[in-house]
Amino acid sequence: MKKLISISCIALLTIAAGCSKFLDKKPISTVSPNNYYNSESEVNSALAGVYAICGMEFMWGGRIPIRHNASTDESFYSVTNQLVGVWWFNYDASDPVVTEMWTYLYTGIERANMLLANIEKTQMDEAKKTAIVGETKFLRAWYYFTLVQYYGGVPLKTEPSSSVNNVDITRTPAADIYAFVEKEMKEAEGMVREVTDINTTERISKSTVRSALARVYLQWAGEPLKNTAKYQDARDIALKVVQSGVHELNPDYKQIYINECQDINDWKECIWETGNWGNNSDANRIGGRHGNENGVRCTSNNDQVIGYAYGFNSTTYKLYHLYEAGDLRRDWAISTYTLNSSGVKANIGATSIYNRNCAKWRREYELLRPLNKNYTPTNFPIIRYADVLLMLAEAENEVNGPAAALEYINMVRRRGYGKPVNVPDAEADLAGLDQLGFRQAIQDERSRELCFEGLRKMDLIRWGIYLTAMRDQAIEIKARASATYQYAALAADRVAERHLLYPIPAIEMSLNKLIQQNPGW
């Protein structure tokens, strides 16, 4: 996918340019669709444009996990120079981060719509064409799934923009958006290739589609729609991934993230990753922010030694103490040291919790030189096999109780303790839980395993406990944090019902006369 993206920079600008308010614009183009999409290379360039949204620093290449999901019960945004923004719950409909997410997701949707509308005229191998259609349909559905999670019901647009005069589009109810996402992903499942055929984490495989559908179903089953019948669907599709036999947990938890820093494809664990690459000093500019904004704090000024890192995401007392004795994940996920300008480590005191950063992606493992102060070649795991096992465990518990679900969660836990994943282990394994106790166990285990990966906020929302968790977080910070970190309670204190959804961006409200704002905004 990196190669696919790198050969298509000009095409992205000419056939699928984004704009500040995508829905009301005819795509800016110097190449008409009438004389494009005529060859396999042109179609691949267009497909790269659809994929490119995922790895952008404004999306999964940075903002979504690092800023949009910064304020939960497992992390806080440790920047104090300006206490505004979505991570401080101090924003409105004109906030640029709220607007950019909307804009780029709809840009990806427009690119997908244009490709799907024109690909049939392309003369190319039909099997390849079918796979591209499947990938495109999946990505369009994924972008709509992200929109419905963050904004609720949104305008559903499945044809390319054709006129600046047709700008007024009503919001489609959230339940109908979920139904569209399900339909598109199911269609895509039959079109895309097996991961064993593509041998990469950066393109959509059948495993990607099935894993994403499990996530869609769990979100659909929870708040606010509470379509609990979808737990069965989540169980069935996640089980399909597990029973395929092509995925397995990397036996070494930390190696997952070292691989991502070093561009090593581990598709057995990392089912889908962003395709970041380079130091953003080249023509392609597809570097991301992982390890830089959310890495171990480092003040390096030598681009040959170690990369600079801001440490914007810091841990909470709750997350740090959620790990039990023997769990090796804690001291990899959460920093135990900082680095000075020469790359020399300074250990953090045992009782200092709130000044510990996310440490999953560490710039000391990057191989590319020269290092860029603000960009990294590090991939981000949008979906991991461990997540699939935990989703399967959760859905199994909701459908049938914890009996079979225990093995799935225990596989993840055994790896966390450095034990063989398929061998029962007294230290790591959970046992004797009823359905309610297992729900709590899965909530805790998802935080231990998946912290800082951009999933916690939506997990808490679908479980219906986000507001409670944030109130508890404010109380905990006030009681336990030193004066230096009392500011972290400000965000948690501000959370209200309206923050369960972002506002529809102000520019969209001003141009689309049929759209209505979310409650409280």
Side-chain angles (χ1 to χ4, degrees), residues 13-220:
L13 294 173
T14 56
I15 69 170
C19 55
S20 60
K21 196 275 181 180
F22 150 75
L23 281 177
D24 70 324
K25 299 292 185 183
K26 183 176 181 178
I28 301 168
S29 178
T30 59
V31 179
S32 168
N34 294 328
N35 56 30
Y36 204 75
Y37 305 99
N38 292 318
S39 68
E40 183 176 338
S41 63
E42 289 177 347
V43 166
N44 280 329
S45 292
L47 177 63
V50 185
Y51 269 102
I53 299 299
C54 294
M56 294 177 69
E57 66 170 297
F58 307 106
M59 304 302 291
W60 288 272
R63 293 271 207 275
I64 287 180
I66 298 171
R67 301 196 183 195
H68 290 283
N69 289 275
S71 298
T72 66
D73 61 350
E74 69 183 22
S75 67
F76 67 96
Y77 197 68
S78 48
V79 180
T80 59
N81 58 337
Q82 194 176 18
L83 301 181
V84 297
V86 297
W87 42 89
W88 291 112
F89 300 96
N90 186 15
Y91 62 94
D92 58 25
S94 64
D95 186 274
V97 176
V98 170
T99 302
E100 74 188 11
M101 175 185 271
W102 177 278
T103 300
Y104 286 117
L105 288 170
Y106 271 113
T107 298
I109 289 166
E110 175 69 1
R111 293 177 180 182
N113 288 342
M114 189 172 288
L115 176 53
L116 291 170
N118 288 280
I119 192 172
E120 282 309 313
K121 69 181 184 182
T122 308
Q123 298 299 311
M124 61 181 293
D125 179 83
E126 286 300 318
K128 290 182 179 179
K129 184 186 290 186
T130 296
I132 288 173
V133 170
E135 290 172 75
T136 306
K137 289 172 78 69
F138 170 83
L139 288 166
R140 180 173 65 176
W142 179 258
Y143 297 151
Y144 271 119
F145 173 55
T146 306
L147 281 164
V148 78
Q149 285 181 290
Y150 284 90
Y151 299 92
V154 295
L156 180 61
K157 187 173 180 294
T158 59
E159 299 293 333
S161 297
S162 59
S163 172
V164 296
N165 298 316
N166 185 21
V167 303
D168 299 327
I169 308 175
T170 60
R171 296 176 68 171
T172 298
D176 294 339
I177 297 291
Y178 274 98
F180 172 79
V181 169
E182 178 186 36
K183 179 184 74 68
E184 292 287 285
M185 287 189 178
K186 281 185 172 181
E187 290 178 9
E189 182 190 3
M191 296 178 174
V192 300
R193 294 171 290 174
E194 296 282 359
V195 66
T196 48
D197 295 328
I198 60 177
N199 197 34
T200 178
T201 64
E202 297 173 15
R203 291 192 74 158
I204 305 305
S205 68
K206 291 187 185 298
S207 295
T208 312
V209 177
R210 293 162 181 163
S211 303
L213 255 175
R215 189 178 294 177
V216 169
Y217 285 137
L218 284 181
Q219 201 76 41
W220 200 351

Side-chain angles (χ1 to χ4, degrees), residues 363-426:
R363 299 210 64 183
E364 59 207 85
Y365 288 94
E366 291 176 30
L367 302 177
L368 186 66
R369 296 294 184 275
L371 295 146
N372 187 301
K373 178 179 180 180
N374 291 320
Y375 292 93
T376 75
T378 299
N379 280 4
F380 174 76
I382 301 176
I383 302 176
R384 292 199 285 115
Y385 186 54
D387 185 12
V388 175
L389 288 170
L390 293 176
M391 289 191 290
L392 176 55
E394 179 178 355
E396 176 68 34
N397 181 58
E398 294 302 325
V399 174
N400 298 312
L406 280 164
E407 179 60 15
Y408 305 127
I409 193 173
N410 284 337
M411 289 172 67
V412 175
R413 287 177 58 83
R414 290 167 197 154
R415 194 264 302 274
Y417 284 74
K419 307 295 180 65
V421 299
N422 293 313
V423 179
D425 184 86

